Amino acid sequence: MNDQASSLRSRKYSRPTPQEDGLPRARRIAITSGKGGVGKSNVSLNLAIALGRMGKNVLLVDADTNLANIDILLGLRVDLTLGDVIFNNAFLNDVLIPGPEGITILPGSSGMVEMLEKDDAYRQRLMDTFETLEKEFDVLIIDTGAGLSENVVRLVAASDEALLVTNSEPTAITDAYAMVKVVTHINPNQKVHVVINLARKQQDALATFENLQLAARQFLQRELTMLGHMPYDKNVPLAVEKREPFLLMFPRSGASTAITMMARKLLRISYKQSSTDNFLSQVLDKREDE
Ligand SMILES: Nc1ncnc2c1ncn2[C@@H]1O[C@H](COP(=O)(O)OP(=O)(O)OP(=O)(O)O)[C@@H](O)[C@H]1O
Ligand SMILES: [Mg+2]
């Protein structure tokens, strides 16, 4: 068991003491896309592991509503989820699952935004839970569901940075642009890093990024950053089938090299916390109609 999880498990959850309030908060990175099935969960999991390897305390928050959840990608058995902490008095420490390279997984968090709409006591418990988590970890990687549903958009807009995964197909690019547009509307200063997946060649990935960048500049006055590209790699579905992260199973594969480079680049990029407020209070603030 990794140190992070054991430290969290060893004590019962309690509200942070005022002395802890001076602690820096985690860097919040939401992994998103417009179109589904473009590789978000695989990027989330393997990027989290790569960052863990580079010495970061990473919490991977599984807020994806689809079937290929992080726990499935890792072959984990999930008995308790965030909902059990909020509604059934389970301890947070019993919900967190230790993962490879010291990362920790918060499974089954897809209903987070709906939980925020519940009555005050539940909302407070959820806020307090995130307050604790954000002080314990260096980085939160939040794997969101696909699409532009309000809940997904709010999670993305509340993060310090969005990591937008797309492939080069026109449908995926159009949906990726739509995501940038909606998020820009709510949080105009948020950094958006783009990952082009299933790229045949580097030039193709750059061309796709430039198209997206051109549209964002022209219509939204937004600059995007290119974080990297990942080739089509037959080892990715093989690793998925074996319920193992490809970074561990095929460390020399093209996908693994790409993810490692992206993790290094991410750590070189300076970032500014959008707010020192609790992540979920940011989510509450980020309604599209505001
Ligand atoms: N670089 C790649 N090379 C080959 N296959 C890939 C690559 N990236 C992703 N895939 C495959 O694409 C499928 C979808 O990946 P993944 O589940 O990560 O996407 P997602 O965006 O999280 O999907 P959803 O929107 O349903 O949550 C997986 O079966 C995976 O094996
Ligand atoms: Mg997914």
Side-chain angles (χ1 to χ4, degrees):
M1 191 189 298
N2 67 70
D3 291 339
Q4 187 65 65
S6 53
S7 96
L8 283 163
R9 279 162 197 260
S10 64
R11 59 181 171 72
K12 290 182 177 175
Y13 167 66
S14 61
R15 190 160 168 58
T17 60
Q19 294 95 300
E20 283 176 312
D21 277 341
L23 288 176
R25 290 177 196 274
R27 177 176 178 177
R28 307 153 179 162
I29 305 173
I31 315 293
T32 187
S33 68
K35 191 168 181 280
V38 293
K40 287 180 301 299
S41 296
N42 274 281
V43 168
S44 300
L45 172 63
N46 290 280
L47 188 66
I49 295 171
L51 291 169
R53 223 176 233 179
M54 291 168 194
K56 297 291 169 195
N57 271 336
V58 183
L59 178 68
L60 178 53
V61 180
D62 186 359
D64 189 350
T65 42
N66 290 309
L67 290 176
N69 282 339
I70 298 293
D71 52 294
I72 298 177
L73 291 180
L74 276 171
L76 297 173
R77 203 183 116 176
V78 173
D79 294 321
L80 295 169
T81 65
L82 186 60
D84 292 297
V85 176
I86 308 308
F87 304 119
N88 303 329
N89 293 323
F91 290 122
L92 176 59
N93 308 348
D94 295 328
V95 173
L96 297 171
I97 303 177
E101 303 288 345
I103 73 164
T104 302
I105 294 135
L106 179 60
S109 316
S110 58
M112 250 182 330
V113 182
E114 287 95 330
M115 284 182 218
L116 282 174
E117 310 291 354
K118 301 276 178 205
D119 72 33
D120 287 353
Y122 293 132
R123 181 188 303 156
Q124 186 59 41
R125 196 175 294 172
L126 187 57
M127 292 279 188
D128 290 350
T129 302
F130 262 76
E131 187 86 31
T132 305
L133 290 171
E134 289 206 275
K135 286 175 181 165
E136 294 277 353
F137 291 90
D138 301 324
V139 184
L140 301 191
I141 298 280
I142 304 145
D143 180 19
T144 71
L148 293 165
S149 74
E150 192 189 340
N151 289 355
V152 168
V153 169
R154 282 166 70 183
L155 284 178
V156 176
S159 303
D160 297 310
E161 295 151 282
L163 200 158
L164 181 66
V165 183
T166 182
N167 59 36
S168 300
E169 289 172 7
T171 44
I173 289 290
T174 306
D175 291 356
Y177 171 77
M179 175 58 85
V180 178
K181 185 174 173 182
V182 176
V183 169
T184 299
H185 177 66
I186 307 175
N187 187 356
N189 299 319
Q190 187 182 41
K191 275 194 177 169
V192 178
H193 310 296
V194 179
V195 171
I196 308 292
N197 194 7
L198 304 172
R200 272 190 220 100
K201 290 186 286 192
Q202 187 176 14
Q203 293 98 301
D204 295 348
L206 281 174
T208 301
F209 171 73
E210 274 156 21
N211 279 337
L212 195 56
Q213 169 73 93
L214 206 65
R217 258 188 210 145
Q218 194 168 348
F219 302 112
L220 307 171
Q221 292 74 51
R222 278 300 309 258
E223 287 299 312
L224 310 174
T225 56
M226 170 81 171
L227 187 67
H229 70 280
M230 204 157 81
Y232 171 84
D233 185 337
K234 63 179 182 349
N235 294 315
V236 175
L238 281 178
V240 171
E241 205 166 307
K242 294 276 182 216
R243 311 267 195 266
E244 276 246 26
F246 59 75
L247 195 68
L248 303 182
M249 199 173 174
F250 302 106
R252 285 177 218 286
S253 67
S256 295
T257 306
I259 284 286
T260 304
M261 283 167 64
M262 287 184 231
R264 281 201 197 112
K265 188 163 177 186
L266 208 49
L267 293 185
R268 284 200 306 268
I269 294 173
S270 68
Y271 84 102
K272 214 170 113 246
Q273 275 188 336
S274 50
S275 165
T276 50
D277 287 348
N278 184 311
F279 174 57
L280 292 180
S281 66
Q282 292 293 297
V283 175
L284 271 178
D285 287 347
K286 304 292 183 198
R287 286 169 217 249
E288 240 192 292
D289 54 0
E290 282 182 349

